[in-house]
Amino acid sequence: MTSMKITRRTFLKVSGATAAGTIMGGLGFDLSPAEVYAQELRIKGAKETTSICCYCSVGCGIIVHTDAKGKVINAEGDPDHPISEGALCAKGASSYQIAVNPHRLQKVLYRAPYSSTWKEVKWEWALEKIAANIKKSRDASFMEKNAAGQVVNRTNGIASVGSAAMDNEECWLYSKMLRALGLIYVEHQARI
Amino acid sequence: MTNHYIDFRNADVILNMGSNVAENHPVSFKWIQAAKDKGALFIHVDPRFTRTSTKADIFVRLRSGTDIAFLGGMIKYLIDNNMYDEFYVKNYTNASFIVNPKYGFNDGLFSGYDSTKRSYDKSTWALEKDEQGIPKRDMTLQDPRCVFQLLKNHYSRYALDKVSQITGTPTADLEKVYKAYGSTYAPDKAGTVLYAMGWTQHTVGVQNIRTMAIIQDLLGNMGIAGGGINALRGESNVQGSTDAGLLYHIWPAYLPTPRSPWATLADYNKNNTPVSKDPRSVNWWKNRPKYVASFLKSMFGEKATKENDFGYAWMPKLEPGQDASWLNLFDEMYKGAFTGFFAWGMNPACSSAHAGKVRQALTKLDWMVNVNVFDSETGSFWKGPGMNPKKIKTEVFQLPCAAFLEKEGSISNSGRWMQWRYKAANPPGVALPDGDIIYELFKKVRALYEKDKGTLPEPILNLKWDYETGGHFDIHKVAKEINGYDLTTGKLMANFVGLKDDGTTSCGNWLYSASYTEAGNMAARRKKTDPTGLGLYPEWSWCWPLNRRIIYNRASVDLDGKPRDPKRPLLKWDAEGKKWIGDVPDNAVPPMGTTGAYPFIMKPDGVSSLFGPGLNDGPFPEHYEPLECPIEKNLMSGQRINPAIKVFEGGLDAFATCDPKYPFVCSTYRVTEHWQTGVLTRWLPWLIEAEPQMFCEISIELAKLRGIKNGDRVIVQTQRGKLEAVAIVTFRLKPFNVAGQTIHQIGIPWHFGWLHPKDGGESANLLTPTVGDPNTMIPESKAFMANVSKLTKQPAQPAKKTTKS
């Protein structure tokens, strides 16, 4: 998937050697081989996938480790990344907990009008119902011509906010869909 | 950003103002440290002492909302002391241009003001042109109507004492900053500025940044390594989402959204394509018709033909002057204008200014779709505080989406680096990437319109929606669509230079053309070559436009194409080879010499604007007080607030100025451990343990005044709402002496919300006002008036029986 010139292990050897110098100087004995070994065990045999942090706009490099079953077991700074050089802040360093987190939304949920609870529904059902809602709102509020008789072809009755949390390609696709539906109230995080 | 993060290390002086870089963009601080290690000076200007201030060589405070006064004083100081780069100012800015004789400024108002509309007729702000249509200039800068003299005159009013009275910054501190930053006027010195929401979230937000841009122009700091105007943006892809046109006023790549009077594509092009008669101006936007036609081809594919104006008529049009931006959107929603609403990857119930109004607005909808990684105050608004689900009609769909490491695609950082991310794991449960959800949802909508045509089905039925491989959504196909195709050969475009207006090319976003070519996915590159030694890393990822790492880089050379700063040669002209060496030149024309092209190619006049006649609130930045402010009179003029802002009145909107009930200036801000509304970070155990709850920072002096001890629970209240917080009594805040009055400033983070954790506290945006900058409509969340008082929890006692009288 990704080819990295320096593997995690060669990096550990290098950083281990650096750490050894420091520790030898400070304590008189060297714990670093054990630390490096422990580190290695934690991610041994894991697959490395490169990513970029999802929080602020610095764009720090992250390496995500997954086990043989495809489960995320670790996420840490990418030492090859020229901006972040392996560093991450508290948020970026907690990326692992986004992937492995019992609070994640895992189901499609629906709240009917005047209901006090969520109900689990299927994707197919939800998407069809949303599509029907879109069509109903669009057709009811669509304005082909304004008061001056000019063609405006817009949907006045639907608005959207979002999202800087999406990838570029998704943002473009979303923008394309909204404009095709005739929306003009299209906004997102950049405005606030 | 005009520059990029690593480039901080190339600066001699770094000014961080309107941001707290150490806490909010922590990893980028290593490049400030790298500059400091080489002897650079780091200045922090902020109302509050933060971790950034601890690393600053110079830290000074200013009252929130007074940045134009502070920086206007710097403009005066630089001109008075001849600390400006004369060559740069004359050749690369509009300093020498002559302004219309009808232009004027009097007591806070520029010429052309209409108080009934709260707006300006900008016609008197125009620059004069000669018979050939070329701007008139006085290269001696002596003409009283030239921009330089007008600038000098305008800021002559920003004397140290006056500025100090407004900002609350002692004059010695002002001078210290002016002198230090002004030292970068020498051609071989570089000064950079790093800002964030501390500048944008004001009713003078754009002009805050304009003031600094003027300073950067005066000092010759634009287009150079270690210089520029650098916005530290708040989200990992807010640059890319803006580039993609997810704002009411723009289509992808900054093509203006059409307005109703522009009936045809020709009308659109005529009204949106700047013309320059000056042969020395590249005027890059002259290419706009090529980008629009290619964009429409990416929308409608083969259904976009020359005969049907490439489907232009199908695209929605705004009314002239219509502003469909965020605050207006929620104002309209509150008034019941919408039946449907998407909150896609957003949490407006906490992120919007005046969030209490937003939460009420959500109850007016028939349906809402909320897509997110975790549950949020928006998706669950109907069971929030003060809501009775049994009375709320809104049908809500909460769709679970993949997190960033569970999908493939690119994001663009503030330095415009487009970086590719790979999928590491599957999303949990039935969660899907946003792209898959959008793709499948639109197919469902299309199927309905195929079955029952409905209103104007053409844009839906004709939309090019063929981004799948083997029956599954394929993000690479979208990435290629964005890059664009030569439709005559079917090959991917090499870059945007070859785009055409005749329908033979398609391109979803011209700024991203060259990102995914026949040579491959440029954003995925990981090669660390650095030929200039300036840390540009041209083969690591890709950056728009054209992989140009520093925008306007031809402003770094002299008229012969020689680097003006020999220590940091960003670009140089190879006269023999007739080519530029260094960064990708902006653009590839020969050096300016006596006949070459000006370096600011996106500006119609080819030069940077000291005088900016395009903005809604004046061609020069002027100090006005925030909408809610602590002093009765603006010390600079008879206009207390920005004369061009829209004031929302009635309903839930209320404001308080100089009201003893709300005596303190309040700002919202962020902490390192949380992000935005906390919609992700409040759910992560490590982070919520580190920053578990809402707090309010107050000074030791204010604590004494209000009898508040560190750790006490307090109520913070404004005209819009109130919330509980834990008081942090700290030396980080200090009262200001403003025009003889003591003004207290308080601060609150905005990462919390009622949903989770249960005892974490509420959103700071319950307190912020519905008011925005007159150019961008970004809300004024950094300066509003609040009260803070100790929460006195009395044990519940049975009501005393009273005798009826």
Side-chain angles (χ1 to χ4, degrees), chain B residues 273-318:
Chain B
T273 310
V275 177
S276 171
K277 300 264 172 68
D278 190 338
R280 304 184 69 188
S281 174
V282 172
N283 183 27
W284 195 263
W285 276 119
K286 71 184 173 213
N287 296 304
R288 180 145 14 223
K290 301 171 189 171
Y291 306 149
V292 178
S294 299
F295 168 65
L296 290 171
K297 286 298 288 183
S298 77
M299 287 289 293
F300 301 114
E302 289 172 2
K303 298 292 167 62
T305 63
K306 240 183 198 169
E307 291 67 40
N308 71 7
D309 247 0
F310 305 116
Y312 171 78
W314 299 328
M315 297 295 277
K317 316 280 182 306
L318 294 157

Short mmCIF file of all heavy atoms in Angstrom, two decimals, chain B residues 273-318:
data_model
loop_
_atom_site.label_atom_id
_atom_site.label_comp_id
_atom_site.label_asym_id
_atom_site.label_seq_id
_atom_site.Cartn_x
_atom_site.Cartn_y
_atom_site.Cartn_z
N THR B 273 -14.84 38.19 -15.31
CA THR B 273 -13.50 38.04 -15.85
C THR B 273 -12.83 39.41 -15.87
O THR B 273 -13.20 40.28 -16.66
CB THR B 273 -13.55 37.46 -17.27
OG1 THR B 273 -14.38 36.29 -17.24
CG2 THR B 273 -12.16 37.08 -17.76
N PRO B 274 -11.86 39.62 -14.98
CA PRO B 274 -11.23 40.94 -14.93
C PRO B 274 -10.42 41.23 -16.19
O PRO B 274 -9.86 40.33 -16.80
CB PRO B 274 -10.31 40.86 -13.71
CG PRO B 274 -10.09 39.42 -13.47
CD PRO B 274 -11.28 38.70 -14.01
N VAL B 275 -10.41 42.49 -16.55
CA VAL B 275 -9.68 42.91 -17.75
C VAL B 275 -8.57 43.84 -17.31
O VAL B 275 -8.76 44.69 -16.45
CB VAL B 275 -10.64 43.66 -18.71
CG1 VAL B 275 -9.88 44.18 -19.92
CG2 VAL B 275 -11.78 42.75 -19.13
N SER B 276 -7.40 43.65 -17.88
CA SER B 276 -6.32 44.61 -17.66
C SER B 276 -5.79 45.04 -19.02
O SER B 276 -5.52 44.21 -19.88
CB SER B 276 -5.19 43.98 -16.84
OG SER B 276 -4.08 44.86 -16.83
N LYS B 277 -5.68 46.33 -19.17
CA LYS B 277 -5.14 46.85 -20.43
C LYS B 277 -3.62 46.96 -20.34
O LYS B 277 -2.96 47.30 -21.32
CB LYS B 277 -5.73 48.24 -20.72
CG LYS B 277 -7.25 48.25 -20.86
CD LYS B 277 -7.67 48.17 -22.32
CE LYS B 277 -9.16 47.98 -22.50
NZ LYS B 277 -9.95 49.15 -22.10
N ASP B 278 -3.10 46.74 -19.13
CA ASP B 278 -1.67 46.91 -18.92
C ASP B 278 -0.93 45.66 -19.41
O ASP B 278 -1.12 44.57 -18.85
CB ASP B 278 -1.42 47.11 -17.41
CG ASP B 278 0.01 47.54 -17.11
OD1 ASP B 278 0.90 47.28 -17.97
OD2 ASP B 278 0.24 48.10 -16.04
N PRO B 279 -0.11 45.80 -20.45
CA PRO B 279 0.58 44.61 -20.97
C PRO B 279 1.53 43.98 -19.96
O PRO B 279 1.93 42.84 -20.11
CB PRO B 279 1.36 45.16 -22.18
CG PRO B 279 1.45 46.64 -21.97
CD PRO B 279 0.25 47.04 -21.17
N ARG B 280 1.85 44.72 -18.90
CA ARG B 280 2.77 44.18 -17.89
C ARG B 280 2.03 43.40 -16.80
O ARG B 280 2.66 42.84 -15.91
CB ARG B 280 3.59 45.31 -17.28
CG ARG B 280 4.34 46.10 -18.34
CD ARG B 280 5.22 47.14 -17.74
NE ARG B 280 6.33 46.53 -17.03
CZ ARG B 280 7.18 47.21 -16.28
NH1 ARG B 280 7.05 48.50 -16.14
NH2 ARG B 280 8.18 46.61 -15.67
N SER B 281 0.71 43.38 -16.86
CA SER B 281 -0.05 42.62 -15.87
C SER B 281 -0.48 41.28 -16.46
O SER B 281 -1.13 41.23 -17.50
CB SER B 281 -1.28 43.41 -15.43
OG SER B 281 -2.07 42.61 -14.58
N VAL B 282 -0.11 40.19 -15.79
CA VAL B 282 -0.49 38.85 -16.27
C VAL B 282 -2.01 38.66 -16.13
O VAL B 282 -2.64 38.02 -16.96
CB VAL B 282 0.28 37.76 -15.48
CG1 VAL B 282 -0.24 36.37 -15.82
CG2 VAL B 282 1.77 37.85 -15.78
N ASN B 283 -2.58 39.22 -15.05
CA ASN B 283 -4.04 39.15 -14.83
C ASN B 283 -4.55 37.73 -15.04
O ASN B 283 -5.35 37.46 -15.93
CB ASN B 283 -4.74 40.14 -15.78
CG ASN B 283 -6.25 40.17 -15.56
OD1 ASN B 283 -6.73 39.89 -14.46
ND2 ASN B 283 -7.00 40.50 -16.61
N TRP B 284 -4.11 36.81 -14.21
CA TRP B 284 -4.38 35.39 -14.44
C TRP B 284 -5.86 35.07 -14.53
O TRP B 284 -6.28 34.16 -15.24
CB TRP B 284 -3.72 34.53 -13.35
CG TRP B 284 -3.69 33.10 -13.78
CD1 TRP B 284 -4.58 32.12 -13.44
CD2 TRP B 284 -2.79 32.50 -14.72
NE1 TRP B 284 -4.28 30.95 -14.09
CE2 TRP B 284 -3.18 31.16 -14.88
CE3 TRP B 284 -1.68 32.97 -15.43
CZ2 TRP B 284 -2.51 30.27 -15.73
CZ3 TRP B 284 -1.01 32.09 -16.27
CH2 TRP B 284 -1.43 30.76 -16.41
N TRP B 285 -6.69 35.83 -13.82
CA TRP B 285 -8.13 35.54 -13.85
C TRP B 285 -8.75 35.81 -15.22
O TRP B 285 -9.94 35.55 -15.43
CB TRP B 285 -8.88 36.32 -12.77
CG TRP B 285 -8.85 35.63 -11.43
CD1 TRP B 285 -8.32 36.13 -10.27
CD2 TRP B 285 -9.40 34.35 -11.08
NE1 TRP B 285 -8.50 35.23 -9.23
CE2 TRP B 285 -9.15 34.13 -9.71
CE3 TRP B 285 -10.07 33.35 -11.80
CZ2 TRP B 285 -9.55 32.98 -9.03
CZ3 TRP B 285 -10.47 32.20 -11.13
CH2 TRP B 285 -10.21 32.02 -9.77
N LYS B 286 -7.96 36.32 -16.15
CA LYS B 286 -8.50 36.44 -17.51
C LYS B 286 -8.85 35.05 -18.06
O LYS B 286 -9.60 34.92 -19.02
CB LYS B 286 -7.48 37.14 -18.43
CG LYS B 286 -6.27 36.28 -18.76
CD LYS B 286 -5.25 37.00 -19.59
CE LYS B 286 -4.00 36.13 -19.73
NZ LYS B 286 -2.77 36.86 -19.80
N ASN B 287 -8.28 34.02 -17.44
CA ASN B 287 -8.53 32.64 -17.88
C ASN B 287 -9.83 32.06 -17.33
O ASN B 287 -10.14 30.89 -17.58
CB ASN B 287 -7.37 31.74 -17.46
CG ASN B 287 -6.08 32.15 -18.14
OD1 ASN B 287 -6.02 32.19 -19.36
ND2 ASN B 287 -5.05 32.48 -17.36
N ARG B 288 -10.55 32.84 -16.56
CA ARG B 288 -11.72 32.30 -15.88
C ARG B 288 -12.68 31.54 -16.81
O ARG B 288 -13.14 30.45 -16.45
CB ARG B 288 -12.47 33.38 -15.11
CG ARG B 288 -13.65 32.80 -14.42
CD ARG B 288 -14.09 33.33 -13.09
NE ARG B 288 -13.63 34.55 -12.56
CZ ARG B 288 -13.26 34.70 -11.27
NH1 ARG B 288 -13.26 33.67 -10.46
NH2 ARG B 288 -12.90 35.86 -10.81
N PRO B 289 -12.98 32.05 -18.02
CA PRO B 289 -13.92 31.32 -18.88
C PRO B 289 -13.48 29.86 -19.17
O PRO B 289 -14.32 28.97 -19.28
CB PRO B 289 -13.94 32.15 -20.17
CG PRO B 289 -13.60 33.55 -19.70
CD PRO B 289 -12.60 33.36 -18.60
N LYS B 290 -12.18 29.63 -19.24
CA LYS B 290 -11.69 28.27 -19.46
C LYS B 290 -12.00 27.38 -18.26
O LYS B 290 -12.34 26.20 -18.40
CB LYS B 290 -10.17 28.28 -19.68
CG LYS B 290 -9.71 29.12 -20.86
CD LYS B 290 -8.20 29.25 -20.85
CE LYS B 290 -7.76 30.27 -21.89
NZ LYS B 290 -6.32 30.59 -21.76
N TYR B 291 -11.85 27.96 -17.08
CA TYR B 291 -12.06 27.17 -15.86
C TYR B 291 -13.54 26.89 -15.62
O TYR B 291 -13.90 25.83 -15.13
CB TYR B 291 -11.45 27.90 -14.66
CG TYR B 291 -9.99 28.25 -14.85
CD1 TYR B 291 -9.42 29.37 -14.26
CD2 TYR B 291 -9.17 27.48 -15.68
CE1 TYR B 291 -8.08 29.69 -14.44
CE2 TYR B 291 -7.85 27.79 -15.88
CZ TYR B 291 -7.31 28.91 -15.27
OH TYR B 291 -5.99 29.22 -15.46
N VAL B 292 -14.38 27.86 -15.99
CA VAL B 292 -15.82 27.67 -15.79
C VAL B 292 -16.35 26.62 -16.76
O VAL B 292 -17.07 25.69 -16.35
CB VAL B 292 -16.59 29.00 -15.99
CG1 VAL B 292 -18.08 28.78 -15.83
CG2 VAL B 292 -16.12 30.04 -14.99
N ALA B 293 -15.97 26.73 -18.02
CA ALA B 293 -16.44 25.74 -19.01
C ALA B 293 -15.97 24.34 -18.63
O ALA B 293 -16.73 23.37 -18.69
CB ALA B 293 -15.95 26.12 -20.41
N SER B 294 -14.71 24.25 -18.20
CA SER B 294 -14.16 22.94 -17.84
C SER B 294 -14.83 22.39 -16.58
O SER B 294 -15.05 21.18 -16.45
CB SER B 294 -12.65 23.04 -17.64
OG SER B 294 -12.02 23.46 -18.83
N PHE B 295 -15.19 23.29 -15.66
CA PHE B 295 -15.91 22.86 -14.46
C PHE B 295 -17.30 22.32 -14.83
O PHE B 295 -17.72 21.26 -14.35
CB PHE B 295 -16.05 24.03 -13.47
CG PHE B 295 -17.02 23.76 -12.36
CD1 PHE B 295 -16.77 22.77 -11.42
CD2 PHE B 295 -18.21 24.48 -12.25
CE1 PHE B 295 -17.67 22.50 -10.39
CE2 PHE B 295 -19.12 24.21 -11.23
CZ PHE B 295 -18.85 23.22 -10.31
N LEU B 296 -18.00 23.05 -15.70
CA LEU B 296 -19.34 22.59 -16.10
C LEU B 296 -19.26 21.24 -16.84
O LEU B 296 -20.14 20.40 -16.71
CB LEU B 296 -20.04 23.65 -16.95
CG LEU B 296 -20.45 24.92 -16.16
CD1 LEU B 296 -20.92 26.02 -17.11
CD2 LEU B 296 -21.55 24.60 -15.15
N LYS B 297 -18.18 21.03 -17.59
CA LYS B 297 -17.98 19.72 -18.24
C LYS B 297 -17.81 18.63 -17.18
O LYS B 297 -18.28 17.51 -17.36
CB LYS B 297 -16.75 19.75 -19.16
CG LYS B 297 -16.95 20.50 -20.47
CD LYS B 297 -18.03 19.89 -21.36
CE LYS B 297 -17.60 18.58 -22.00
NZ LYS B 297 -18.67 18.07 -22.92
N SER B 298 -17.14 18.97 -16.07
CA SER B 298 -16.97 17.96 -15.01
C SER B 298 -18.29 17.71 -14.29
O SER B 298 -18.50 16.66 -13.70
CB SER B 298 -15.90 18.39 -14.01
OG SER B 298 -16.40 19.40 -13.13
N MET B 299 -19.20 18.67 -14.34
CA MET B 299 -20.52 18.50 -13.72
C MET B 299 -21.42 17.61 -14.58
O MET B 299 -22.03 16.66 -14.10
CB MET B 299 -21.23 19.86 -13.56
CG MET B 299 -20.70 20.77 -12.48
SD MET B 299 -21.08 20.22 -10.80
CE MET B 299 -22.87 20.40 -10.69
N PHE B 300 -21.50 17.96 -15.86
CA PHE B 300 -22.53 17.33 -16.70
C PHE B 300 -21.98 16.46 -17.84
O PHE B 300 -22.76 15.94 -18.64
CB PHE B 300 -23.47 18.41 -17.26
CG PHE B 300 -24.16 19.21 -16.18
CD1 PHE B 300 -23.90 20.55 -15.98
CD2 PHE B 300 -25.07 18.59 -15.32
CE1 PHE B 300 -24.52 21.28 -14.98
CE2 PHE B 300 -25.71 19.31 -14.32
CZ PHE B 300 -25.43 20.66 -14.14
N GLY B 301 -20.66 16.33 -17.93
CA GLY B 301 -20.07 15.43 -18.92
C GLY B 301 -20.55 15.70 -20.32
O GLY B 301 -20.59 16.85 -20.77
N GLU B 302 -20.97 14.64 -21.01
CA GLU B 302 -21.40 14.78 -22.41
C GLU B 302 -22.68 15.60 -22.56
O GLU B 302 -22.99 16.09 -23.64
CB GLU B 302 -21.60 13.40 -23.04
CG GLU B 302 -20.27 12.69 -23.26
CD GLU B 302 -20.45 11.25 -23.71
OE1 GLU B 302 -21.62 10.82 -23.89
OE2 GLU B 302 -19.43 10.56 -23.87
N LYS B 303 -23.42 15.72 -21.45
CA LYS B 303 -24.67 16.48 -21.51
C LYS B 303 -24.40 17.99 -21.51
O LYS B 303 -25.30 18.79 -21.73
CB LYS B 303 -25.59 16.11 -20.34
CG LYS B 303 -26.01 14.66 -20.36
CD LYS B 303 -26.94 14.39 -21.55
CE LYS B 303 -27.16 12.92 -21.84
NZ LYS B 303 -27.79 12.17 -20.78
N ALA B 304 -23.16 18.36 -21.21
CA ALA B 304 -22.77 19.78 -21.27
C ALA B 304 -22.21 20.05 -22.66
O ALA B 304 -21.14 19.55 -23.01
CB ALA B 304 -21.71 20.07 -20.21
N THR B 305 -22.97 20.80 -23.44
CA THR B 305 -22.54 21.08 -24.81
C THR B 305 -22.46 22.58 -25.03
O THR B 305 -23.02 23.37 -24.26
CB THR B 305 -23.55 20.50 -25.82
OG1 THR B 305 -24.81 21.18 -25.64
CG2 THR B 305 -23.74 19.01 -25.64
N LYS B 306 -21.75 22.94 -26.09
CA LYS B 306 -21.65 24.36 -26.44
C LYS B 306 -23.05 24.93 -26.65
O LYS B 306 -23.34 26.06 -26.24
CB LYS B 306 -20.87 24.48 -27.75
CG LYS B 306 -19.62 25.31 -27.62
CD LYS B 306 -18.97 25.43 -28.99
CE LYS B 306 -17.55 25.85 -28.86
NZ LYS B 306 -16.81 25.73 -30.10
N GLU B 307 -23.92 24.12 -27.28
CA GLU B 307 -25.27 24.57 -27.61
C GLU B 307 -26.08 24.88 -26.36
O GLU B 307 -26.88 25.81 -26.34
CB GLU B 307 -26.01 23.50 -28.44
CG GLU B 307 -25.46 23.30 -29.84
CD GLU B 307 -24.03 22.71 -29.86
OE1 GLU B 307 -23.74 21.80 -29.04
OE2 GLU B 307 -23.19 23.17 -30.67
N ASN B 308 -25.90 24.09 -25.29
CA ASN B 308 -26.68 24.37 -24.08
C ASN B 308 -25.87 25.13 -23.04
O ASN B 308 -26.17 25.07 -21.84
CB ASN B 308 -27.29 23.08 -23.51
CG ASN B 308 -26.25 22.15 -22.89
OD1 ASN B 308 -25.08 22.49 -22.75
ND2 ASN B 308 -26.69 20.97 -22.51
N ASP B 309 -24.84 25.86 -23.47
CA ASP B 309 -24.04 26.67 -22.53
C ASP B 309 -23.39 25.78 -21.46
O ASP B 309 -23.18 26.21 -20.34
CB ASP B 309 -24.93 27.72 -21.83
CG ASP B 309 -24.58 29.13 -22.22
OD1 ASP B 309 -23.66 29.31 -23.04
OD2 ASP B 309 -25.23 30.06 -21.70
N PHE B 310 -23.10 24.55 -21.83
CA PHE B 310 -22.50 23.55 -20.92
C PHE B 310 -23.35 23.32 -19.66
O PHE B 310 -22.82 23.00 -18.60
CB PHE B 310 -21.06 23.94 -20.55
CG PHE B 310 -20.18 24.17 -21.75
CD1 PHE B 310 -19.65 25.42 -22.02
CD2 PHE B 310 -19.90 23.13 -22.64
CE1 PHE B 310 -18.85 25.63 -23.14
CE2 PHE B 310 -19.10 23.34 -23.76
CZ PHE B 310 -18.58 24.59 -24.02
N GLY B 311 -24.65 23.53 -19.82
CA GLY B 311 -25.56 23.27 -18.68
C GLY B 311 -25.60 24.41 -17.67
O GLY B 311 -26.16 24.25 -16.58
N TYR B 312 -25.05 25.56 -18.03
CA TYR B 312 -24.99 26.70 -17.10
C TYR B 312 -26.36 27.05 -16.52
O TYR B 312 -26.49 27.36 -15.33
CB TYR B 312 -24.39 27.91 -17.83
CG TYR B 312 -24.45 29.20 -17.06
CD1 TYR B 312 -23.56 29.46 -16.03
CD2 TYR B 312 -25.42 30.17 -17.36
CE1 TYR B 312 -23.63 30.64 -15.32
CE2 TYR B 312 -25.49 31.36 -16.64
CZ TYR B 312 -24.60 31.59 -15.63
OH TYR B 312 -24.66 32.76 -14.92
N ALA B 313 -27.40 26.99 -17.37
CA ALA B 313 -28.75 27.38 -16.91
C ALA B 313 -29.26 26.47 -15.80
O ALA B 313 -30.08 26.88 -14.98
CB ALA B 313 -29.72 27.36 -18.09
N TRP B 314 -28.78 25.22 -15.75
CA TRP B 314 -29.26 24.29 -14.71
C TRP B 314 -28.70 24.60 -13.33
O TRP B 314 -29.21 24.13 -12.32
CB TRP B 314 -28.86 22.84 -15.07
CG TRP B 314 -29.42 22.33 -16.35
CD1 TRP B 314 -30.62 22.66 -16.91
CD2 TRP B 314 -28.80 21.40 -17.25
NE1 TRP B 314 -30.80 21.99 -18.09
CE2 TRP B 314 -29.69 21.21 -18.33
CE3 TRP B 314 -27.59 20.71 -17.26
CZ2 TRP B 314 -29.41 20.35 -19.40
CZ3 TRP B 314 -27.31 19.85 -18.31
CH2 TRP B 314 -28.21 19.68 -19.37
N MET B 315 -27.64 25.38 -13.30
CA MET B 315 -27.00 25.64 -12.01
C MET B 315 -27.80 26.71 -11.24
O MET B 315 -28.26 27.69 -11.83
CB MET B 315 -25.57 26.13 -12.21
CG MET B 315 -24.66 25.11 -12.88
SD MET B 315 -24.38 23.63 -11.87
CE MET B 315 -23.07 24.18 -10.79
N PRO B 316 -27.94 26.53 -9.91
CA PRO B 316 -28.73 27.50 -9.15
C PRO B 316 -28.09 28.89 -9.12
O PRO B 316 -26.87 29.02 -9.06
CB PRO B 316 -28.76 26.89 -7.74
CG PRO B 316 -27.64 25.91 -7.70
CD PRO B 316 -27.41 25.44 -9.09
N LYS B 317 -28.94 29.93 -9.16
CA LYS B 317 -28.48 31.32 -9.16
C LYS B 317 -28.95 32.03 -7.89
O LYS B 317 -30.10 31.87 -7.48
CB LYS B 317 -29.04 32.09 -10.36
CG LYS B 317 -29.00 31.36 -11.71
CD LYS B 317 -27.66 31.41 -12.38
CE LYS B 317 -27.62 30.74 -13.74
NZ LYS B 317 -28.09 29.35 -13.81
N LEU B 318 -28.07 32.85 -7.37
CA LEU B 318 -28.43 33.72 -6.24
C LEU B 318 -29.00 35.02 -6.77
O LEU B 318 -28.74 35.40 -7.91
CB LEU B 318 -27.18 34.06 -5.43
CG LEU B 318 -26.47 32.93 -4.70
CD1 LEU B 318 -25.01 33.31 -4.45
CD2 LEU B 318 -27.17 32.63 -3.39
#
